[in-house]
Amino acid sequence: MQKRWHMLQADKKIIQELVEQLHISPVLAHVLVNRGIETPAGGSRFLFDSLEKTYDPFAMKGMEQAVQRIGQAIDKGERITIYGDYDVDGITSTSLLYQVLSDLGAAPSFYIPERQGEGYGLNSEALQLLADRHTDLLITVDCGISSYDIVSQVTDMDIIITDHHEPPQDIPPAYAVLNPKQPECPYPFKELAGVGVAYKVCQALWSRRLHDALPGYTELVALGTIADLVPLTDENRIIVQDGLRRMRQGQNIGIQALLKAASLTGDAVSAGRIAFTVAPRLNAAGRISHAGQGVRLLLESDPEKAALLADELSELNRERQEIEHDIARQAIAQIEQQGRQSDGVLIAFGCDWHAGVIGIAASRLVERYYRPSLVISVHDGIGKGSCRSISGFNMYAALQYAGDLLIQYGGHPMAAGFSVRETDIEDFRQRLNEYAAAHMTEEAYIPSVSIDMELKPKQVTLELIAELSRLEPYGMGNSRPVFSLYGSTVAEIRTMGRDKQHLRITVAGRDRAYLSGVGWSMAERCDKIRSGDRVDLAFQLEKNEFNGRSSPQLVLQDIHEPAADVHLDRTIMIDIYMALKKCIPDWGMPVRQLQTRLLPAEFDRYGSHTIYAAVLVLKEIGVLKIRQNSDGPAYYFPVLHEKMCLHMSPTYKKYGKV
């Protein structure tokens, strides 16, 4: 799916000031300005800040009361229970507070609700169980801010809430509430993850009791912060930088076991790699089994035991991936078979789909179709759903619009959850598409990519990549820079990977400098582009290591091909249709084989761009379809029950001769 490009505009005067005063390249200065750095002082803070410059934890509303009460519990030997959430943020928050309290002389315990049976946050049954176990002080991490009614009913223990989610109008009547987003909280940074709030509690507690700065522990904070997708700016950026440095030094035994299981060592330990390889292993515990396994791993001090626990989580993650891929495949097939891939909102549902992974399956639909997507697991007539959205579509507001059809719902503009009766799913689909029709335009369904600046081929060097690494850690709010090259000539383009889902491209610029790049999950673009074509590329940069040699590598975000000379009419469409019928068997033909299996004579006669457009027309009118086979997507011809009209295709309207 081709994207819209948006070139970011940076102030040249500020760029020059940054270059002169910080002694950096114009490219790095340009990127800094795009990130809102408007003065050399701001650039210096961005590039050179250290952990000592984090904010005073006692600036957070409720901190003084919390520290006094926790200190009292430690001194009196009271029973302290940490109540966490089952995602990575909750697991790391629980582990961090448990470890620090233990190091300060307490003997805490922890409780994390079971995802399927108890759901998110505090519940009355769990609190009664903990009261029966004689808990004196309960400290929540990454949850509790929305539990006014539950907290107000508790009389036999004190509760301290630490959370980072948006607070409701009524703040729970706990002993203390710590959340930088709550009203009248003067804490200067509002975007901490749950583990970030727990870290501030630990900082305050340590300094009050030992009159010293909290040593270490930032590996746990970094892991939870990265996984929770909060902005990696300001204080988050500082803490994550320190945490990644400590991960590379191997200070937390449990995290080291996870890194080893994910084959991450040295410089490969980055925020991006943590997010895609380490965090899912911890998340799998809460999705497939119980999050307590993750906490036990992060608290483990024996390397051999930690390795066994990490292997168990890796196996759970593989199981999670298989379940998720199967659900995503079924969801895609359902949408394709019903011809709903162009709906304003996509909904897929199935009986007893694993509720722990339907959110990931919804993300897969967004990646494939760039449409707001909902995946529903139905059990005993009730559907539990998870939603993922796109820029410009407020998913929470859409659920409100259809709220009378839902049993319950909650969430945010980009992600939400709900439950619905199975008999109401079709009406629910129609209502959401009504909302989309009223709030979205056709252009809104075209993904966009923001370009930091245009580069010339000679600027793409290992030295530039090394300098840009000073921007790390990359993540939400501090994305990896995206650059563009214009008018490059394709020297080679081919598919790659076990399932041939990716592409490898080599291009030559106007100065004949050759550059190589990869396009992850972009193999379908090989059908449209051939050697000798001139293309524009949007890409990120990384260093490629191969056979002891290092070279710059373009990581493609999009490819724009100059307008091709495409003409379609009924005769051309019939010729290409008949050629496809001859080469596509009844059981289907892998998408990647189109160009090699279709008769070469057709390519010589019409050209690859016209053939690509004709195939797109046939897909748009339902004559040709794609289904997900075990070895990847494949073209096939469905049984048609009604006549299809070429003029139903937007592509034919664009290129067809009248």
Side-chain angles (χ1 to χ4, degrees):
M1 182 184 298
Q2 200 167 74
K3 303 175 182 178
R4 289 181 289 117
W5 293 10
H6 169 63
M7 184 67 71
L8 299 174
Q9 301 298 319
D11 188 300
K12 294 182 179 179
K13 182 178 179 181
I14 298 175
I15 290 174
Q16 189 59 36
E17 290 176 356
L18 292 173
V19 169
E20 293 174 355
Q21 296 189 39
L22 297 181
H23 307 291
I24 59 178
S25 74
V27 176
L28 179 56
H30 200 119
V31 174
L32 285 175
V33 174
N34 289 342
R35 277 149 178 70
I37 305 299
E38 298 182 353
T39 64
S44 180
R45 174 172 170 78
F46 188 93
L47 294 175
F48 304 111
D49 254 350
S50 63
L51 198 61
E52 290 73 29
K53 294 185 179 180
T54 54
Y55 302 116
D56 179 6
F58 286 100
M60 192 175 294
K61 182 180 179 181
M63 187 65 77
E64 187 65 49
Q65 299 96 304
V67 168
Q68 288 181 4
R69 181 65 186 88
I70 297 171
Q72 174 188 320
I74 295 174
D75 292 336
K76 293 184 176 181
E78 293 181 313
R79 187 174 180 84
I80 303 173
T81 301
I82 303 162
Y83 191 110
D85 185 26
Y86 42 66
D87 67 1
V88 177
D89 193 10
I91 290 170
T92 53
S93 300
T94 302
S95 304
L96 170 69
L97 190 55
Y98 185 101
Q99 199 168 75
V100 170
L101 288 174
S102 299
D103 290 346
L104 289 173
S109 60
F110 67 86
Y111 182 90
I112 297 179
E114 195 273 323
R115 186 185 195 114
Q116 309 302 325
E118 297 179 81
Y120 168 77
L122 297 176
N123 67 81
S124 298
E125 293 79 7
L127 292 187
Q128 185 59 55
L129 173 66
L130 296 175
D132 293 342
R133 293 177 180 174
H134 308 294
T135 294
D136 299 300
L137 176 61
L138 184 131
I139 307 173
T140 77
V141 288
D142 193 33
C143 64
I145 195 65
S146 298
S147 301
Y148 181 91
D149 291 339
I150 293 175
V151 173
S152 64
Q153 296 170 9
V154 176
T155 58
D156 40 12
M157 71 177 98
D158 288 335
I159 297 179
I160 294 173
I161 291 174
T162 76
D163 203 347
H164 73 120
H165 295 97
E166 292 294 336
Q169 185 173 355
D170 295 325
I171 302 299
Y175 188 95
V177 176
L178 295 101
N179 184 332
K181 295 176 182 176
Q182 68 176 308
E184 301 177 4
C185 180
Y187 196 75
F189 184 58
K190 307 296 185 182
E191 299 299 330
L192 291 169
V195 70
V197 179
Y199 179 69
K200 303 310 292 187
V201 174
C202 294
Q203 278 187 317
L205 192 61
W206 197 278
S207 66
R208 177 61 54 84
R209 297 185 67 79
L210 298 182
H211 310 289
D212 198 2
L214 180 66
Y217 303 103
T218 51
E219 309 102 298
L220 292 167
V221 191
L223 176 52
T225 299
I226 291 167
D228 214 51
L229 300 179
V230 292
L232 293 190
T233 58
D234 204 283
E235 191 168 32
N236 284 341
R237 173 179 165 79
I238 296 171
I239 295 171
V240 170
Q241 278 183 321
D242 191 77
L244 290 174
R245 177 180 62 82
R246 290 177 182 275
M247 284 186 201
R248 297 181 189 115
Q249 294 173 350
Q251 298 194 10
N252 182 287
I253 299 299
I255 291 179
Q256 289 308 302
L258 279 173
L259 292 175
K260 185 175 181 180
S263 300
L264 289 184
T265 58
D267 291 341
V269 179
S270 65
R273 299 286 175 82
I274 293 293
F276 286 104
T277 63
V278 175
R281 284 171 161 80
L282 271 184
N283 242 335
R287 292 185 184 278
I288 303 298
S289 179
H290 194 282
Q293 288 179 263
V295 177
R296 287 191 289 275
L297 169 61
L298 296 181
L299 296 176
E300 184 56 63
S301 58
D302 185 317
E304 291 186 4
K305 292 180 180 178
L308 290 174
L309 286 169
D311 288 343
E312 289 177 9
L313 290 182
S314 294
E315 185 57 39
L316 282 176
N317 190 48
R318 281 189 285 272
E319 182 182 345
R320 187 272 306 169
Q321 289 174 324
E322 291 176 3
I323 296 171
E324 168 226 319
H325 289 160
D326 185 55
I327 292 175
R329 180 184 58 78
Q330 292 180 62
I332 290 169
Q334 186 179 119
I335 289 167
E336 295 278 355
Q337 289 166 7
Q338 295 175 356
R340 294 189 177 276
Q341 55 268 43
S342 296
D343 282 4
V345 178
L346 304 181
I347 293 181
F349 63 94
C351 289
D352 294 319
W353 283 353
H354 198 297
V357 301
I358 55 176
I360 306 175
S363 296
R364 297 290 177 263
L365 296 183
V366 173
E367 292 170 5
R368 184 179 180 88
Y369 300 107
Y370 199 69
R371 293 282 195 277
S373 300
L374 299 84
V375 176
I376 305 170
S377 174
V378 178
H379 180 74
D380 290 340
I382 301 297
K384 180 178 180 181
S386 191
C387 325
R388 295 295 184 268
S389 194
I390 63 175
S391 178
F393 186 88
N394 187 323
M395 185 62 77
Y396 184 75
L399 294 182
Q400 284 182 308
Y401 182 76
D404 59 301
L405 296 171
L406 301 176
I407 300 171
Q408 61 181 13
Y409 63 91
H412 307 284
M414 295 301 291
F418 63 93
S419 57
V420 61
R421 295 174 183 83
E422 183 178 10
T423 53
D424 289 332
I425 290 177
E426 190 54 43
D427 289 341
F428 179 50
R429 186 204 309 274
Q430 293 178 14
R431 188 76 63 83
L432 290 186
N433 276 288
E434 284 178 10
Y435 180 88
H439 292 83
M440 299 288 281
T441 63
E442 284 190 24
E443 189 177 66
Y445 291 111
I446 303 173
S448 63
V449 56
S450 295
I451 309 292
D452 279 279
M453 66 179 295
E454 178 186 354
L455 295 181
K456 304 300 181 186
K458 63 182 179 181
Q459 292 177 284
V460 180
T461 63
L462 291 173
E463 290 73 23
L464 175 61
I465 293 171
E467 187 182 34
L468 290 174
S469 68
R470 298 173 68 183
L471 297 168
E472 297 178 4
Y474 296 122
M476 291 287 290
N478 183 41
S479 58
R480 188 179 291 272
V482 177
F483 303 103
S484 60
L485 282 173
Y486 290 94
S488 299
T489 301
V490 177
E492 180 188 24
I493 185 168
R494 57 182 173 82
T495 58
M496 59 177 279
R498 185 179 63 182
D499 297 324
K500 304 297 183 183
Q501 293 297 298
H502 316 299
L503 71 79
R504 166 73 64 183
I505 190 171
T506 303
V507 298
R510 293 187 177 94
D511 56 3
R512 304 307 297 169
Y514 284 89
L515 294 169
S516 180
V518 294
W520 305 118
S521 301
M522 294 175 68
E524 77 282 354
R525 306 300 285 274
C526 291
D527 291 337
K528 194 174 182 181
I529 301 169
R530 307 187 82 179
S531 298
D533 285 351
R534 295 179 70 84
V535 295
D536 303 329
L537 306 176
F539 59 92
Q540 297 168 341
L541 279 171
E542 69 177 20
K543 181 170 67 173
N544 182 42
E545 305 274 3
F546 184 70
N547 283 343
R549 295 183 58 219
S550 299
S551 61
Q553 178 166 265
L554 315 181
V555 181
L556 301 184
Q557 306 302 298
D558 196 26
I559 306 175
H560 277 186
E561 310 89 23
D565 185 19
V566 175
H567 299 287
L568 296 175
D569 58 27
R570 293 190 66 84
T571 300
I572 295 172
M573 290 301 306
I574 291 172
D575 284 350
I576 295 174
Y577 169 79
M578 295 304 297
L580 288 168
K581 286 289 285 185
K582 290 178 181 177
C583 71
I584 297 180
D586 293 341
W587 56 87
M589 180 184 75
V591 168
R592 63 181 182 268
Q593 292 183 7
L594 173 67
Q595 191 161 325
T596 56
R597 294 281 296 276
L598 193 59
L599 295 176
E602 302 300 328
F603 278 97
D604 294 340
R605 185 177 180 187
Y606 295 121
S608 61
H609 298 293
T610 292
I611 288 178
Y612 183 87
V615 169
L616 193 57
V617 170
L618 295 174
K619 287 164 58 181
E620 289 172 348
I621 65 175
V623 171
L624 184 65
K625 290 195 173 185
I626 295 178
R627 64 175 165 226
Q628 293 298 310
N629 291 342
S630 58
D631 59 346
Y635 289 120
Y636 74 101
F637 286 100
V639 177
L640 299 178
H641 299 288
E642 57 186 39
K643 186 176 180 180
M644 295 294 174
C645 177
L646 289 173
H647 292 282
M648 293 169 59
S649 161
T651 301
Y652 192 79
K653 288 179 181 178
K654 180 178 180 180
Y655 296 118
K657 295 179 181 178
V658 179

